[in-house]
Amino acid sequence: MKRRMNKKTKTVLDYLIIIIIGIVMIYPIIWMFFATFKTNEEIFGSVKLLPEHFSFQYYIEGWKGTGKVTYTNFFLNTFLLVIPTTIFTVASAALVAYGFARFQFPGKKILFMLLIAMMMLPNAVVIIPRYTLYNQFKWVNTYMPFYAPALLCCNSFFPYMLIQFLRGLPKDLDESAYIDGCGTLKTFTHILLPLMKPALFSAGLFQFLWTYNDYFNSLIFINSVKKYPISLALRMSLDGESVVQWGKVMAMSTVAVIPVIVLFFACQRYFVEGIATSGLKG
Amino acid sequence: MKKAKNNVRKRDMKAYWYILPWLLGFAILQLYPFVSSFIYSFANYSVGSKPEFIGLCNYEKLFTQDKEFWNSLKVTLQFALYTVPGKLILALAVAMFLNREIKGINFIRTVYYIPSLFGGSVAIAILWRLMFLDNGVINAMLSRLGLPNVQFLGDTRYALKTICALEIWQFGSSMVMFLAALKQVPKSLYEAAEIDGAGKIRKFFSITFPQISPIIFFNLLNQTIQALQNFTSASVITEGGPLKATNVLGLKLYKEGFAYFKMGYASSISWVVFTVIVSFTLIIFGTSKLWVHYADE
């Protein structure tokens, strides 16, 4: 009897711990959402979560942005930057992964080692020469500094992830396609690509997220407000006025965070599987 | 027969076309910048001008005259030493806690994962800044609990730790990896250990840790490389202050290179960052033989 009681209290205690950690994890984001309805007076010096009134005034005001550039522009810019970058990354990574996973060519070993080693090449080291290079190409203040590395498969994480995935697909698939007279490209596009869909989707999600959240590269390569993605627009909203209206800033931060949360809930399976597998095989 | 073999060779040679994007990317956007940043680090150089070689002057200035440098290096190392173990230990502890039959485990995992969606997000960095202001909600909570208020962002003792807290809060993605790894540890190992009378601690060090050590290794390496390059949180939350207490090397590099356009000097900083990263990588790889256990060895 006593033992059962203990077990019960233990379960209750466990759930209590789980809930407390859960609150710590999620509270800041909920607080952010409610702060979008609060005046500075309500935000500061108060522990209250709920606002006095619900009014979307800060969303409307915040959306206007600065000067003539509104958040409609900032969002369009962000998607113009992020979506092609994501597509290019997945496409180039799939081709490169196919090359490495399915062929035995001279120099493969050393090239593969270089590919892996590049995962450890810090962005900080290459950023300055890349900047001068892009500057010569007149690419500064365009989105090319984001597209070019994506097209040229410069984040080794993605081909690596896809190579691991391809290794799990039986080679008989390609062999029988070759025997049927398929070329290498057709074998890839008709046989392997459809099977790679979940891995491609995971890769795309990560790249979307990382590019969407990126601040450092945007700060360096984009310098006119008209072309700002959301990350830079948000940063700018802190400097614009002498007294920051935090409700407004929080409203735009919330708007910036929503696409990420929606994407996450829509594609949860791919997120969790993507992380779990990319880290596991290796 | 011979012909078939030739065909195979021919087919294999086509691989170069498939890896061509990466070959170009590697040459133009990785190898070339890597070499030239090394060369720039020995030059006086800014955009539009020709690099003027000045030998070791950049490094000499960095190590002996620049008052900010040693502080920045120290702050960067502290940031990595707080956040990486903090994040990994927390992720592992929570993963172990969740690794059993619990109702609603998927929901819990989802909730815990959410903060790590915002790694490097400006929106969340701004939120952090607002919450930890002197009269922000965190201090209001402390007051309510009867605790003294803390100048989280204004006091040199706490500013870096406040930024670290943001990083550690995002432990979810490591946790998901650990959870997946823990699920793969064969139950029979624990059963055998129980028969031998092993306690919880013994079981952790003899079974759990060795079994999941490859994933710990992978996370440790990744997180360390990331942490040593931190920029967003220090830039948005504290802007390097107060009194340079959060002026990490990433921030210093940005200021020297892209605010003052001293690109040669900034390159020498980037090589310090690189050296630090390589040293940590070597240490982690070097010690891995002692603690990382691969199943197929």
Side-chain angles (χ1 to χ4, degrees):
Chain A
M1 186 64 197
K2 201 182 168 198
R3 216 192 148 111
R4 200 187 290 159
M5 270 307 283
N6 276 343
K7 211 176 170 192
K8 222 173 183 179
T9 32
K10 201 174 170 294
T11 325
V12 171
L13 203 70
D14 285 352
Y15 274 98
L16 205 66
I17 295 172
I18 288 171
I19 291 166
I20 290 171
I21 301 175
I23 289 173
V24 174
M25 299 306 280
I26 213 77
Y27 193 83
I29 293 162
I30 295 171
W31 186 85
M32 171 166 82
F33 173 69
F34 286 118
T36 64
F37 306 104
K38 294 176 184 168
T39 61
N40 279 2
E41 289 74 39
E42 281 181 84
I43 287 174
F44 290 121
S46 163
V47 291
K48 261 201 275 176
L49 178 64
L50 295 174
E52 303 275 328
H53 312 280
F54 281 97
S55 124
F56 286 94
Q57 185 204 350
Y58 285 134
Y59 287 89
I60 295 162
E61 278 177 30
W63 194 267
K64 285 180 190 149
T66 43
K68 279 185 183 149
V69 194
T70 67
Y71 271 77
T72 314
N73 297 93
F74 295 137
F75 262 103
L76 284 176
N77 290 341
T78 304
F79 290 122
L80 203 61
L81 191 164
V82 174
I83 292 171
T85 304
T86 305
I87 294 170
F88 295 156
T89 302
V90 175
S92 68
L95 283 175
V96 173
Y98 177 53
F100 274 110
R102 287 302 207 247
F103 299 90
Q104 295 303 326
F105 52 90
K108 177 175 161 176
K109 237 186 177 161
I110 183 132
L111 288 175
F112 184 68
M113 267 170 58
L114 280 173
L115 179 79
I116 300 299
M118 285 305 112
M119 271 202 257
M120 280 165 233
L121 181 71
N123 193 25
V125 175
V126 292
I127 194 84
I128 288 163
R130 274 193 193 177
Y131 181 84
T132 48
L133 202 65
Y134 295 151
N135 198 36
Q136 279 170 10
F137 296 158
K138 302 262 180 283
W139 282 358
V140 171
N141 206 28
T142 72
Y143 301 135
M144 277 310 284
F146 298 88
Y147 299 160
L151 276 171
L152 299 182
C153 199
C154 281
N155 188 343
S156 295
F157 172 78
F158 296 109
Y160 176 69
M161 182 180 165
L162 297 180
I163 287 169
Q164 296 294 352
F165 187 85
L166 274 175
R167 280 182 182 162
L169 297 178
K171 273 200 174 153
D172 304 353
L173 287 172
D174 331 16
E175 295 300 332
S176 53
Y178 293 141
I179 289 164
D180 289 350
C182 274
T184 52
L185 186 63
K186 204 171 171 196
T187 307
F188 176 58
T189 53
H190 283 64
I191 313 278
L192 294 175
L193 264 189
L195 295 171
M196 285 168 76
K197 265 185 201 155
L200 296 175
F201 203 73
S202 287
L205 277 176
F206 282 115
Q207 181 66 327
F208 183 93
L209 201 65
W210 291 342
T211 319
Y212 187 91
N213 283 337
D214 171 71
Y215 174 59
F216 187 62
N217 292 296
S218 311
L219 192 62
I220 286 170
F221 295 124
I222 309 296
N223 47 37
S224 76
V225 177
K226 259 190 184 162
K227 292 195 172 165
Y228 270 13
I230 295 171
S231 56
L232 293 183
L234 285 174
R235 180 66 191 82
M236 184 176 64
S237 67
L238 288 183
D239 299 329
E241 297 147 76
S242 50
V243 180
V244 178
Q245 262 190 316
W246 286 99
K248 219 165 88 180
V249 175
M250 285 295 100
M252 288 307 103
S253 299
T254 303
V255 168
V257 157
I258 285 171
V260 174
I261 294 186
V262 169
L263 193 71
F264 174 64
F265 278 102
C267 319
Q268 243 192 85
R269 198 162 66 85
Y270 293 96
F271 265 99
V272 173
E273 270 170 24
I275 310 169
T277 49
S278 66
L280 279 179
K281 302 168 185 169
Chain B
M1 192 63 208
K2 206 172 182 187
K3 204 180 166 205
K5 213 172 189 180
N6 263 340
N7 270 341
V8 171
R9 291 295 296 169
K10 226 179 184 176
R11 192 171 85 201
D12 276 338
M13 298 312 274
K14 286 191 180 147
Y16 293 111
W17 287 107
Y18 294 108
I19 65 165
L20 186 66
W22 175 74
L23 285 174
L24 290 174
F26 171 70
I28 304 168
L29 295 178
Q30 290 177 319
L31 188 62
Y32 163 75
F34 180 71
V35 174
S36 36
S37 85
F38 187 65
I39 295 170
Y40 291 163
S41 76
F42 299 102
N44 197 348
Y45 173 61
S46 75
V47 174
S49 77
K50 275 216 152 139
E52 171 202 341
F53 288 93
I54 51 172
L56 286 167
C57 280
N58 283 332
Y59 290 100
E60 206 185 315
K61 188 176 159 206
L62 201 60
F63 294 145
T64 59
Q65 289 161 38
D66 193 328
K67 284 178 195 132
E68 278 179 30
F69 170 72
W70 290 108
N71 172 59
S72 288
L73 181 64
K74 190 186 89 185
V75 171
T76 309
L77 293 176
Q78 277 178 334
F79 180 81
L81 290 176
Y82 294 152
T83 56
V84 178
K87 209 171 175 175
L88 294 188
I89 291 170
L90 192 62
L92 183 57
V94 174
M96 285 176 63
F97 184 72
L98 294 180
N99 183 33
R100 58 183 134 163
E101 299 294 312
I102 305 178
K103 270 181 210 146
I105 179 72
N106 284 338
F107 177 73
I108 297 165
R109 198 171 60 174
T110 304
V111 168
Y112 287 15
Y113 184 76
I114 286 175
S116 39
L117 289 171
F118 308 115
S121 157
V122 173
I124 298 299
I126 293 175
L127 168 68
W128 218 251
R129 177 166 162 175
L130 174 59
M131 290 198 322
F132 284 91
L133 282 175
D134 289 351
N135 49 357
V137 65
I138 302 290
N139 269 325
M141 284 178 179
L142 290 178
S143 299
R144 183 58 72 84
L145 295 170
L147 295 167
N149 277 9
V150 177
Q151 278 192 295
F152 289 105
L153 303 175
D155 190 321
T156 50
R157 285 173 299 170
Y158 302 117
L160 187 69
K161 287 173 188 138
T162 308
I163 294 176
C164 292
L166 171 60
E167 204 72 24
I168 294 170
W169 178 59
Q170 295 166 339
F171 70 83
S173 65
S174 300
M175 183 204 74
V176 169
M177 281 195 214
F178 290 151
L179 249 180
L182 287 171
K183 288 253 181 302
Q184 296 199 334
V185 179
K187 285 221 168 67
S188 58
L189 290 177
Y190 292 110
E191 282 155 12
E194 267 160 34
I195 292 166
D196 292 346
K200 269 191 176 163
I201 295 168
R202 185 67 208 273
K203 273 194 278 186
F204 174 77
F205 284 106
S206 304
I207 302 171
T208 314
F209 189 84
Q211 286 285 321
I212 64 167
S213 56
I215 289 86
I216 297 179
F217 173 75
F218 174 86
N219 270 280
L220 180 66
L221 198 61
N222 252 345
Q223 304 282 358
T224 308
I225 294 173
Q226 297 285 328
L228 291 169
Q229 294 186 79
N230 172 52
F231 175 79
T232 306
S233 49
S235 165
V236 175
I237 300 175
T238 52
E239 298 170 34
L243 297 171
K244 308 275 175 200
T246 56
N247 196 32
V248 292
L249 283 172
L251 207 53
K252 180 159 174 62
L253 182 140
Y254 172 77
K255 279 184 204 154
E256 299 289 349
F258 297 98
Y260 313 141
F261 288 103
K262 291 195 275 182
M263 295 199 145
Y265 194 52
S267 295
S268 67
I269 298 171
S270 76
W271 272 80
V272 172
V273 174
F274 183 63
T275 312
V276 173
I277 288 176
V278 169
S279 317
F280 272 90
T281 306
L282 289 178
I283 293 170
I284 294 169
F285 265 105
T287 59
S288 70
K289 282 210 177 84
L290 301 174
W291 60 274
V292 182
H293 167 95
Y294 286 104
D296 45 354
E297 255 173 31

